[in-house]
Amino acid sequence: MTEHILTVAGVAVDTRHWIGGERVASADTFTDVSPIDGSALGEIARGGPAEAAAAVAAAKAAFPGWAATPRAERARILHAVADGVEKRIEELAIVETTDNGALLRSHRRGVMPRVAHNFRFFADWLLTLDHDDFATRGHTNHVSWDPAGPSVLITPWNAPLMLATWKVAPALAAGNTVVLKPAEWSPLTASLLADIAAEAGLPAGVLNVVQGYGAEIGDALTSHPDVRRISFTGSVPTAQRIAASAAPRLTPLSLELGGKSPLLVFADADLDLAVDLAVEQYDNAGQVCLAATRLLVEESVAEEFTRRFVDKATRLRQGDPRDETTDIGPNIHPRQLEKIDGFVRRALAAGARAVIGGHPKDGQYYAPTLLTEVAQDSEIVQEEVFGPVLTLQTFATEDEAVALANDTRFGLAATLATGDRERAERVGAQLVAGTVWINCFFVRDLQAPFGGSRHSGVGREGGTWSFDFYCDLKNTVTAPKGFKDHG
């Protein structure tokens, strides 16, 4: 037993899968490495087709009972899961920081409380989920949300537990059973979630957690004939493979993919606010899908904006994410760091200028970077880097700003800084994005629809939209006559 337990910053984490309410080992393992210092944290069970089949079978077996569980009881258990998360916020925070390198202070104060909120929100939303009956020529229409079945949830490494529970919570609230596959670069808090859910009274098989590589266990999950829903957050190429895998069975998909979001700064904006918004894009070492990595600044204020940006950005502290004074931690993995540096080196070779940064630092840290003199059709402007790298371009007119903002294959988010309310409404309406922030950034409410346009995704989740995805919607039409009176 102890051979399967890691001690991470004093917290015990089981490295095995969680299938059907039991810990299950695999013959093979993979090494989990901390991005903080490159140290090996331990060996994690490496699943494949056999573990995928077992997890889906467990979810299928548990589905009838969980689907039939009254809404109020499902909500009660989800609130108990939230209670368990809140009791272990410090443990979850330090394990996730060690595992993925994000700031410990952010995990303590924002991310892990949000994990608990995810469960509470969807538990409460379930109890209010309703649609008014309506009449058609005297007949009554009644809309209901029926649980769809076993759901496969594949989650990313940049905010592992928060983004996992953004999917797990509504899927469970809807009455579905779940197979969660966390990213292999950050698997540890998903294992702790399995413990918390079991302690909260979630029945065996309702939540299963399997670990491993996408090509080995992910493909087996997404192609399984008993899977009724697939939700994925990650890259476009991986989403394309998942969609191809799900296509023969027409398994419904929800895909939240990459972004190359713009931040439009007009001359009438509060420049200090605009600079704050721009520097905020370095959050989580730039590993945020929503990040506005393309700064589009009106020509007349570009020089002053750049001066203020450089002054603020160069004062950011980069280092150990466990230090309360650190602003930017490491990037997740040597492969990711190499990818980031490759983008920057190719951009510099093509004529871009690094105003700040432009190079890796010691270990898995990349210097916050701002590139100017970049062409609109260049790789660095068009493709997602997923690191602390921003580009700056200028525009002369509002129409040009909108054209530049919309000129990528992505459409996840957009941010707009302006002092003119009419312009904000006018430009915001023209931006191709799932979310538009005006004079703010990263303000998210779980009742709002979330997702992307174009190559940034398929579908929307949040509030009732989540239940629309995780359920089969049914309309029952009842005639006003034809029933016998048994009174």
Side-chain angles (χ1 to χ4, degrees):
M1 170 91 179
T2 55
E3 66 178 302
H4 299 296
I5 303 296
L6 295 183
T7 301
V8 180
V11 182
V13 184
D14 201 306
T15 63
R16 296 171 291 179
H17 313 285
W18 179 255
I19 299 175
E22 297 180 349
R23 288 292 176 179
V24 176
S26 289
D28 295 324
T29 63
F30 63 92
T31 305
D32 187 27
V33 175
S34 174
I36 298 174
D37 56 9
S39 62
L41 298 175
E43 296 299 308
I44 311 298
R46 177 176 168 180
E51 289 84 355
V56 174
K60 182 180 180 181
F63 173 67
W66 183 244
T69 300
R71 285 186 177 188
E73 177 61 8
R74 293 206 302 264
R76 184 195 68 77
I77 293 174
L78 293 186
H79 273 289
V81 174
D83 292 341
V85 169
E86 289 176 343
K87 290 175 183 176
R88 302 185 69 178
I89 279 179
E90 183 63 25
E91 294 180 6
L92 292 167
I94 189 61
V95 169
E96 188 140 297
T97 289
T98 305
D99 203 16
N100 91 323
L103 299 184
L104 179 58
R105 71 169 189 253
S106 296
H107 281 140
R108 283 173 170 157
R109 300 170 194 171
V111 177
M112 295 309 162
R114 174 61 179 268
V115 168
H117 178 63
N118 285 345
F119 283 104
R120 296 200 193 283
F121 174 88
F122 286 107
D124 292 341
W125 198 268
L126 169 66
L127 299 181
T128 64
L129 189 64
D130 193 21
H131 190 295
D132 291 339
D133 290 351
F134 56 96
T136 304
R137 299 188 300 277
H139 296 64
T140 300
N141 293 265
H142 177 74
V143 176
S144 57
W145 285 261
D146 294 350
S151 302
V152 166
L153 314 179
I154 302 176
T155 54
W157 44 258
N158 58 321
L161 192 57
M162 194 277 285
L163 291 177
T165 56
W166 161 252
K167 301 175 186 294
V168 170
L172 295 180
N176 291 359
T177 50
V178 165
V179 179
L180 170 64
K181 207 254 349 142
E184 60 268 25
W185 287 351
S186 57
L188 299 183
T189 48
S191 180
L192 293 176
L193 177 64
D195 295 336
I196 292 170
E199 292 165 5
L202 194 69
V206 173
L207 172 65
N208 306 275
V209 179
V210 291
Q211 301 139 168
Y213 297 126
E216 296 175 355
I217 193 168
D219 289 349
L221 289 171
T222 57
S223 63
H224 199 290
D226 291 331
V227 170
R228 295 291 178 259
R229 293 292 186 273
I230 300 170
S231 182
F232 168 74
T233 297
S235 71
V236 172
T238 301
Q240 291 169 330
R241 291 196 295 270
I242 290 173
S245 179
R249 283 152 294 282
L250 298 178
T251 308
L253 298 167
S254 176
L255 304 173
E256 196 268 282
L257 309 177
K260 196 68 180 176
S261 301
L263 165 56
L264 291 76
V265 179
F266 287 91
D268 57 22
D270 178 331
L271 273 195
D272 286 334
L273 170 63
V275 167
D276 287 345
L277 293 174
V279 173
E280 191 176 350
Q281 308 311 311
Y282 290 131
D283 182 49
N284 201 22
Q287 298 169 142
V288 178
C289 59
L290 295 161
T293 57
R294 294 185 296 131
L295 308 182
L296 306 177
V297 185
E298 193 163 352
E299 289 175 352
S300 61
V301 295
E303 184 176 347
E304 178 62 16
F305 172 89
T306 303
R307 184 190 68 77
R308 297 190 197 185
F309 176 91
V310 169
D311 179 65
K312 188 175 183 67
T314 52
R315 286 187 277 114
L316 293 172
R317 295 190 57 164
Q318 189 166 25
D320 192 322
R322 296 166 295 192
D323 188 328
E324 281 282 317
T325 65
T326 296
D327 299 305
I328 301 178
N331 290 96
I332 183 75
H333 193 275
R335 277 174 26 207
Q336 184 64 19
L337 192 76
E338 182 180 355
K339 175 185 172 185
I340 295 165
D341 193 43
F343 272 112
V344 173
R345 284 188 287 104
R346 290 190 296 274
L348 294 174
R353 182 173 72 90
V355 178
I356 60 172
H359 56 83
K361 302 174 77 173
D362 291 338
Q364 287 172 214
Y365 296 79
Y366 202 87
T369 297
L370 176 66
L371 301 178
T372 60
E373 301 176 25
V374 292
Q376 178 62 23
D377 61 355
S378 63
E379 178 193 53
I380 196 67
V381 170
Q382 293 293 326
E383 297 299 326
E384 184 177 47
V385 177
F386 221 61
V389 178
L390 309 181
T391 59
L392 190 150
Q393 299 165 270
T394 61
F395 62 86
T397 68
E398 186 177 295
D399 287 344
E400 184 184 5
V402 172
L404 289 171
N406 288 339
D407 186 22
T408 75
R409 64 190 174 111
F410 297 103
L412 187 56
T415 304
L416 170 62
T418 178
D420 186 329
R421 187 178 297 275
E422 291 184 358
R423 168 176 277 157
E425 294 175 356
R426 184 172 60 247
V427 172
Q430 298 177 73
L431 296 175
V432 178
T435 300
V436 176
W437 285 291
I438 298 174
N439 293 330
C440 61
F441 176 66
F442 219 0
V443 178
R444 286 183 58 185
D445 192 308
L446 287 179
Q447 64 185 314
F450 180 76
S453 304
R454 297 175 175 168
H455 281 200
S456 287
V458 174
R460 295 292 185 272
E461 295 187 49
T464 300
W465 289 276
S466 285
F467 289 94
D468 288 348
F469 173 69
Y470 288 110
C471 293
D472 290 322
L473 268 71
K474 179 191 294 180
N475 185 42
T476 302
V477 185
T478 305
K481 58 185 178 180
F483 295 104
K484 295 181 180 179
D485 186 358
H486 296 286

